Amino acid sequence: MKMHLECPMPKFGFDVITLGHGSGGLLTHQLLKSGVFDVFNNEMLNQQHDGASFELNGKVAFSTDSYVITPIFFPGGNIGELAVNGTVNDLAMCGAMPQYLSLSFIIEEGFSMQEFWQVLMGIKEAAQFAGVKIVTGDTKVVEKGKGDQLFINTSGIGLIHPRAIIHHIRIQSGDQIILSGNLATHGIAIMSKRKGLEFETDLESDTAPLNHIIYHLLETFGEQIHFLRDPTRGGIASVLNEVAELTQLGYHINQKLIPLDEQVEGACEMLGLDPLYVANEGLFVAIVAKEIAADFIELLSKDNNGKNAAIIGEVVTDHPGKLVMKSRIGGHRVVNYLTGEQLPRIC
Amino acid sequence: MKFLTEYRDPELVQEYLKKIHRITTRPWTLMEICGGQTHSLVKNGILDMLPEKITMVHGPGCPVCVTSLSVIDEAIYLAEQSGVIFCSFGDMLRVPGSTKSLLEVKAAGADIRILYSPLEAVELAKANPDKEVVFFAVGFETTAPANALSVVHAAKSGVFNYSILASHVLVPPAMEAILSDDENVIDAFLAAGHVCTIMGMEEYYPVAEKYKIPIVITGFEPVDLLQGILMAVQQLEKGEFKVENQYTRYVQREGNIVAMKTIFEVFEKGDRIWRGIGSIPNSGYEVNDQYKLYNARLKFNLNLPVAEENAACISGDIMKGLKKPKQCPNFGTACKPEHPLGAPMVSSEGACAAYYHYSSSTGRKEVIT
C-alpha cells in the first residue's frame, strides 16, 4: 500500500529552479538543506560530507541507473518513485536486499519548484516503503534547453541474501519461466499520457519496490530460484533473448498464458505495439526449478505485486539460443530482440 | 477485446485449416496485398499450418516499403530546411534515403516530430505561425482521407504555413502491374480489407475480369485470413474468378462515400514511382490545383534528382512475389532492421522485417513447431 506524505513545501523563495541553485553557493545550500537533508534526514546524509561511510558484512550487489522519463508525472507515480524503485529492483534481481542509495539530480533551469518538491516527496515515500536510505547525492542545474525538466540517477548497494545464487549459468532445461504480473502496464500507462497520443484508460504504472517479495521468495525457495530479472526497457522479449543467447538453451513461452490487462492489449493493438517489447516496472521474470514452480506462484500471488503471477513457459533443449512463442491459435514464431524503438505504424 | 477475440479463436482456426487442407488438390500461389496481413500470417505462425501446396507471397501493401527513394530524399531535404517542422508517422523515420534516414537527420538537430494524426500537424502549424509545418502524407487509400482532411481543415481555418508531401499509392494499379508482368506467378489475391473499407469493391471487378483472377477482400486476424484463403482456394479449385468479400463486417461494396469525397476534394491521380517496382501509371495521389498552396513540392520548389535504388536490395522481386525475403543473399546479413538496405526490412509491415522478426531459419517450414 502506498503512503501519502503531506509535508508542506518549504519556502525556497523561488517558483522555479535557477542556475544559481546549481552554483554550489548559498542557493544550492538552501535547496539542499530544505529539499534534501531535511527530507531524507539520516545520520549518514546529515554529515553533509562528500560521500557516505558504512559497514557491510557479506557479499554485496551494487547497481546504478538513470531515469529520463517523459512525462515525469504519470498515472501511478512520478520520476522520483521510479528512480528509487528501479534501482531497488535491480538490486533485488541480484538476490540482494537493498540498503543504501545515492541520489543525483540534473535539473533544467526553469523547472518548477513545486514539481521538484513533489518529486522529492515521491522519492521519500518510495525509499521509506522499500526500506532504503538515501545516503549521498548531487545536484546540478543545466541551462534551459540543455535538459528535459529533470533527470535522476540513483545507485544502490545491498547485501546478497545468503541463500541466493542468481546466475544464468544455473538455468537448466525443464525450468519454468514465471512472470510476476500483467505485462506492459507501465509502458502503456506512460504512453497514454504522452503528448499527441493521449487516449483514455484508467491504467496506472505498476512501479513498486520488489525487494520485500523477493526476500520472501528467497527465504522460502533459496537456490531453487535460478534467475531473476526485471524486464524494464525492451520488455520480456529482450530479457528472455538475452538469457537464451547466454545459456544456449531454448526458451518456449505460450502467448495464452501471458497475463495481460485488456486495456493494455487494446492499446497495443491500436498503436501497433507488441506487448512483449513494452517497458515494465514493478514486474519480474523468474526462472525456477520445475519442482517449486507451483509453490512459487502460490506464495507470489499472495503479494500485492504478484496477484496475476503465472507460469508462462519453460526452458527446453530444442531451438537453443532462441525464444519461441506459441501463438494463441497454436502457431509458433521466433521472438527476436527489438530493433531500435517500437515505432507506431502508419495504418 | 470484443470483435477481436472471436477472430482469433483457436477452434475456428482449426476448422478453417481442415477445410483448406481438404479442398486443396493443386499447387496455388496466393498474394496477400497488405503488409498488415503479411505480419499477421507470420506473427501467428499461420504459414507453417497451411497445406504444402499453398504458397503465400507477400504483396506491395506496405506504404513504408513502396515509398520511393526519391520521395524519402525529398522528405529529408524538407526536414533539413531551417524554419521547417517536419511531421511524419513513426515508421517512416528509419527508412534509408540515398544517403541517410530521417532519424539521422533528427539526431543531427532537425525539428522532426512523430505524429499519430495529420490533424495534429495543422494544430502545430497554428501554434507556430513563424514556422512552416510539413506533413509526410504517405500511405495507401487508407490514410488518404485523414491526410486530405488536414488540408481541408487548414484551408478552412486560414492556416497557410502548412503543407503536405504527398506520397500516396493506390492498390488496384499495383495489382495490374504485378499481373501484367511476364513473370507473374500469382493465382489469386487477398485484397486489403482496410483499403476496401474506404474505397469499396468496384475497382476490383474489372481487374478480376481482365486477368481472370479471384480477388477476396480479406481482413487481418487469423480467422479472417484463413477464411479469405479458403474462399480464394475454393474459387481456384472450381476455376472461378470472382470478387468476394470476406471482410463484410467493415467493407461495403460502395465504400465509405464521405471519406472518398474528401480524398477527391484534395487529391488527383498521377503516376507514382514504387520502390523496387518502378513507375506505375495513375498509381498515386498528388495534391490537386485547387489546394496547390498546400503542396509542399510546389511551396518549396522541390526538384531533386531521381535517386538510384540500391542494387543490392531485391525488394522489387519480393513485392512482386517472385522471391521470398530469405532468398535474398543479404537477408539477415548485410541487411538487418538496424541497418536496412531497403525499406521492406524497416517497417513493421515490411515482408523482410516480418520474416526477420518472427522466423529464423530458411525455407517454408522455417518456424519451429
Side-chain angles (χ1 to χ4, degrees), chain B residues 155-171:
Chain B
K156 273 193 183 149
S157 7
V159 175
F160 297 109
N161 60 329
Y162 175 68
S163 58
I164 64 172
L165 178 64
S167 171
H168 280 292
V169 276
L170 309 175
V171 167

Side-chain angles (χ1 to χ4, degrees), chain A residues 45-81:
Chain A
L45 190 66
N46 292 348
Q47 291 175 25
Q48 303 191 18
H49 198 49
D50 283 348
S53 317
F54 47 80
E55 277 184 20
L56 282 174
N57 297 314
K59 201 173 169 190
V60 186
F62 178 47
S63 181
T64 187
D65 211 336
S66 298
Y67 300 84
V68 295
I69 194 166
T70 311
I72 58 173
F73 295 95
F74 48 83
N78 67 46
I79 188 171
E81 289 159 65

Side-chain angles (χ1 to χ4, degrees), chain A residues 15-323:
Chain A
D15 291 336
V16 296
I17 299 277
T18 66
L19 283 176
H21 287 110
S23 69
L26 183 65
L27 289 183
T28 309
H29 177 75
Q30 286 174 348
L31 183 71
L32 290 182
K33 169 89 182 58
S34 349
V36 178
F37 298 126
D38 290 355
V39 172
F40 301 117
N41 183 28
N42 63 61
E43 67 284 6
M44 275 179 260
L45 190 66
N46 292 348
Q47 291 175 25
Q48 303 191 18
H49 198 49
D50 283 348
S53 317
F54 47 80
E55 277 184 20
L56 282 174
N57 297 314
K59 201 173 169 190
V60 186
F62 178 47
S63 181
T64 187
D65 211 336
S66 298
Y67 300 84
V68 295
I69 194 166
T70 311
I72 58 173
F73 295 95
F74 48 83
N78 67 46
I79 188 171
E81 289 159 65
L82 210 61
V84 173
N85 292 338
T87 298
V88 161
N89 292 346
D90 284 347
L91 290 170
M93 295 306 124
C94 303
M97 303 300 109
Q99 285 174 280
Y100 303 119
L101 294 192
S102 73
L103 172 68
S104 294
F105 296 109
I106 295 175
I107 314 172
E108 188 186 18
E109 180 188 11
F111 183 57
S112 140
M113 200 61 93
Q114 172 72 42
E115 290 189 347
F116 185 56
W117 183 249
Q118 279 174 262
V119 171
L120 286 169
M121 288 300 104
I123 293 170
K124 182 175 180 174
E125 229 175 270
Q128 282 183 359
F129 191 36
V132 292
K133 284 182 178 161
I134 312 282
V135 293
T136 185
D138 182 47
T139 305
K140 294 281 188 311
V141 180
V142 295
E143 282 172 54
K144 194 154 186 68
K146 299 259 168 88
D148 186 5
Q149 297 185 284
L150 177 65
F151 299 147
I152 302 180
N153 172 279
T154 54
S155 297
I157 198 160
L159 272 173
I160 292 185
H161 189 282
R163 288 186 63 201
I165 321 174
I166 309 294
H167 199 291
H168 65 79
I169 55 168
R170 304 199 54 244
I171 301 173
Q172 37 190 286
S173 165
D175 280 2
Q176 302 291 291
I177 305 168
I178 288 167
L179 192 64
S180 69
N182 286 348
L183 190 63
T185 311
H186 170 78
I188 298 299
I190 303 290
M191 224 172 274
S192 73
K193 298 298 167 210
R194 285 235 168 111
K195 200 164 166 32
L197 190 66
E198 295 97 336
F199 50 90
E200 277 196 28
T201 69
D202 44 28
L203 288 174
E204 289 202 340
S205 165
D206 43 9
T207 177
L210 298 168
N211 53 327
H212 303 305
I213 178 63
I214 294 290
Y215 177 80
H216 287 308
L217 291 165
L218 284 169
E219 282 282 299
T220 314
F221 303 110
E223 55 293 334
Q224 299 278 71
I225 302 171
H226 295 162
F227 186 80
L228 294 167
R229 181 68 68 82
D230 57 338
T232 50
R233 274 177 314 167
I236 58 164
S238 301
V239 166
L240 293 175
N241 264 297
E242 270 171 42
V243 283
E245 208 174 289
L246 287 168
T247 58
Q248 283 303 306
L249 288 163
Y251 289 71
H252 191 273
I253 55 174
N254 189 338
Q255 189 178 22
K256 213 164 60 181
L257 303 178
I258 298 175
L260 192 61
D261 181 279
E262 206 171 76
Q263 291 189 52
V264 171
E265 192 176 6
C268 285
E269 287 289 340
M270 193 175 77
L271 298 169
L273 304 176
D274 189 335
L276 296 176
Y277 296 110
V278 174
N280 304 282
E281 291 289 337
L283 187 78
F284 65 92
V285 175
I287 300 177
V288 307
K290 193 168 191 166
E291 309 83 81
I292 63 152
D295 295 340
F296 188 96
I297 292 281
E298 199 191 329
L299 177 58
L300 176 54
S301 54
K302 284 181 191 149
D303 188 89
N304 208 31
N305 295 309
K307 287 194 299 268
N308 299 308
I311 297 172
I312 62 164
E314 75 176 327
V315 182
V316 294
T317 46
D318 287 346
H319 53 81
K322 288 200 165 59
L323 170 62

